Amino acid sequence: MVHVTLKLFATLSRFTPDSGDRYPIAPGTTVKHLLEKLGVPEDDVRLIFINGIKGHLASTLTDGDRLGIFPPVGGG
Amino acid sequence: MRTQIIEKLKAISRPKKYPDDTDYTSISLENIPSLATSFKVDSRKIEIIALEEGMVPERYARNMKTFSPEDQASLLKSQVSIVGLGGLGGTVSEILARTGIGTLNLIDGDRFEASNLNRQFLSTYETMGQYKTEAAVKRIKEINASITVRRYDEYLDDKNSDALIRRSDVVVDCLDNITTRFILENASKKAGSPLVSAAVAGLSGHITTIFPEDQGLKLIYGRPDDLKSKGAEASLGCLPSAVSVLAAFETAEVVKIILGRGPLLRNKLLIIDLLDNITEVLDLL
């Protein structure tokens, strides 16, 4: 197993697992796989960041990665 | 006439000290309008001449050192359009007025209602039902009469956007929905103006800066056709703390663009989350 840090923003925060700051995943897990496992609806995923740089659903996660996910946000 | 104005300014100026004990030449608040009346020019013109001659209108004294008098004159000569006068726009207009941006164009067709009171600083018992632009103009004039304010009581749409977003030094996106943000981005690009865009949901939000040649909002939201107009704010609302922080970031970005100083958030997204104490600058490219 490898571990990633997860931060789900705004409406997605309710999908954050208890161990979000050190979440175990199998090597080779993609963002898409992880979000499916957490039950995050793909339509609500707008911005994916891995270690502060824009990523994609198909991006593969590696040990120590920081993953951040934003839903669409438009208020003011 | 400029020579006569300078002479008069020098005559009424007086030496003062900043809190760090350094000297400056001050022009008092009361002297500006009377000088403007006697020379039949805008008070902004008087302030600009004073600053160009190294004299500091007292209202800008605490801007100095961070800004030089020349910087302050540049801000007074600049024009900024604020689109949306709710939570973000109300605060942005207040801060830009106090900063001393010379011309503010205010665009919003909405009127205040009770659900605005949690976060929109211009909404009060007194302004319920008023156009947001009306309350903003009144507030700006109370703060700084040297500022030219133009008011457009219209919602931005794809029919009026080109006419409303004429060339400004900066356009500030303070809208409350994603669809109109894309219309504004398009109009700003056509007008050749940089756009500063912030959005909020609950205690989270983000801000970016888009120059006409930049990819812009699609890096954040994807294709506009795939989106609903409202995002996470539809279920989370907008909290005044997050709105105010992002409004403040927008104004800092506006000033940096005008003065050409400091790193901008082009192709970057500054995100905040006030629950988890997060601020981070992310690379969109």
Side-chain angles (χ1 to χ4, degrees):
Chain A
M1 287 298 222
V2 296
H3 294 86
V4 295
T5 307
L6 269 176
K7 170 63 186 171
L8 303 171
F9 286 86
T11 38
L12 302 181
S13 66
R14 65 196 165 97
F15 297 102
T16 307
D18 289 341
S19 52
D21 50 352
R22 194 174 145 74
Y23 190 72
I25 55 169
T29 300
T30 63
V31 175
K32 186 182 167 74
H33 289 143
L34 176 55
L35 293 176
E36 274 168 9
K37 191 176 166 197
L38 296 172
V40 179
E42 204 175 298
D43 276 359
D44 294 347
V45 174
R46 194 55 48 181
L47 272 172
I48 297 164
F49 288 102
I50 303 167
N51 304 324
I53 297 166
K54 197 176 174 188
H56 305 278
L57 283 168
S59 303
T60 303
L61 295 164
T62 56
D63 195 35
D65 278 350
R66 290 188 306 123
L67 175 65
I69 309 283
F70 252 101
V73 164
Chain B
M1 184 163 61
R2 187 184 165 92
T3 318
Q4 288 135 313
I5 293 174
I6 294 169
E7 274 173 25
K8 187 73 182 165
L9 279 165
K10 283 182 175 163
I12 58 166
S13 69
R14 55 197 184 94
K16 283 195 81 170
K17 283 183 186 296
Y18 290 119
D20 69 356
D21 227 28
T22 53
D23 297 314
Y24 70 104
T25 306
S26 167
I27 307 290
S28 76
L29 189 64
E30 312 77 64
N31 276 323
I32 302 281
S34 53
L35 237 65
T37 308
S38 62
F39 285 100
K40 295 191 174 62
V41 294
D42 291 346
S43 57
R44 179 159 40 118
K45 177 90 176 164
I46 302 288
E47 291 186 346
I48 290 170
I49 292 173
L51 288 158
E52 286 173 344
E53 295 299 315
M55 293 174 267
V56 180
E58 193 58 24
R59 66 159 60 254
Y60 305 118
R62 292 299 179 273
N63 285 355
M64 290 301 114
K65 304 272 176 107
T66 300
F67 302 152
S68 67
E70 295 78 17
D71 290 338
Q72 188 68 61
S74 299
L75 295 171
L76 279 168
K77 289 176 186 170
S78 62
Q79 178 167 172
V80 173
S81 296
I82 303 169
V83 188
L85 286 164
L88 290 169
T91 306
V92 164
S93 62
E94 168 110 12
I95 295 175
L96 292 183
R98 291 186 187 276
T99 304
I101 302 293
T103 303
L104 296 174
N105 302 317
L106 310 177
I107 301 159
D108 197 332
D110 203 10
R111 296 168 183 264
F112 283 117
E113 52 190 274
S115 62
N116 301 152
L117 284 163
N118 82 316
R119 69 194 183 286
Q120 303 189 17
F121 291 1
L122 294 165
S123 63
T124 60
Y125 286 110
E126 200 182 313
T127 61
M128 284 299 104
Q130 263 183 29
Y131 275 114
K132 295 181 177 183
T133 50
E134 182 184 353
V137 170
K138 181 166 178 283
R139 178 70 180 164
I140 292 165
K141 286 295 175 191
E142 283 169 356
I143 295 168
N144 191 344
S146 295
I147 291 172
T148 300
V149 196
R150 301 197 190 98
R151 167 186 164 190
Y152 304 91
D153 305 337
E154 293 176 62
Y155 289 106
L156 193 85
D157 59 36
D158 46 16
K159 293 184 191 68
N160 65 15
S161 60
D162 289 349
L164 285 174
I165 307 300
R166 277 166 290 209
R167 195 179 177 101
S168 305
D169 294 293
V170 189
V171 178
V172 194
D173 172 5
C174 299
L175 289 159
D176 66 353
N177 72 86
I178 298 167
T179 311
T180 316
R181 291 175 189 277
F182 277 95
I183 294 170
L184 177 59
E185 179 187 49
N186 196 26
S188 303
K189 285 184 171 185
K190 274 200 216 165
S193 300
L195 174 71
V196 177
S197 176
V200 187
L203 286 166
S204 305
H206 48 61
I207 165 175
T208 189
T209 289
I210 301 163
F211 275 53
E213 62 270 33
D214 297 341
Q215 292 190 55
L217 293 178
K218 70 177 178 194
L219 293 177
I220 300 169
Y221 296 110
R223 281 159 35 87
D225 310 344
D226 298 342
L227 281 165
K228 293 181 199 140
S229 182
K230 291 282 181 184
E233 67 282 3
S235 50
L236 294 179
C238 293
L239 272 292
S241 50
V243 169
S244 302
V245 168
L246 284 162
F249 271 115
E250 284 193 299
T251 61
E253 202 69 357
V254 167
V255 170
K256 288 190 289 179
I257 292 170
I258 292 170
L259 298 182
R261 199 159 65 216
L264 298 176
L265 293 167
R266 289 178 73 181
N267 299 315
K268 291 178 187 297
L269 192 70
L270 189 154
I271 58 165
I272 66 158
D273 183 301
L274 297 185
L275 185 67
D276 287 342
N277 304 322
I278 293 173
T279 54
E280 192 174 349
V281 178
L282 307 170
D283 288 320
L284 288 169
L285 285 178

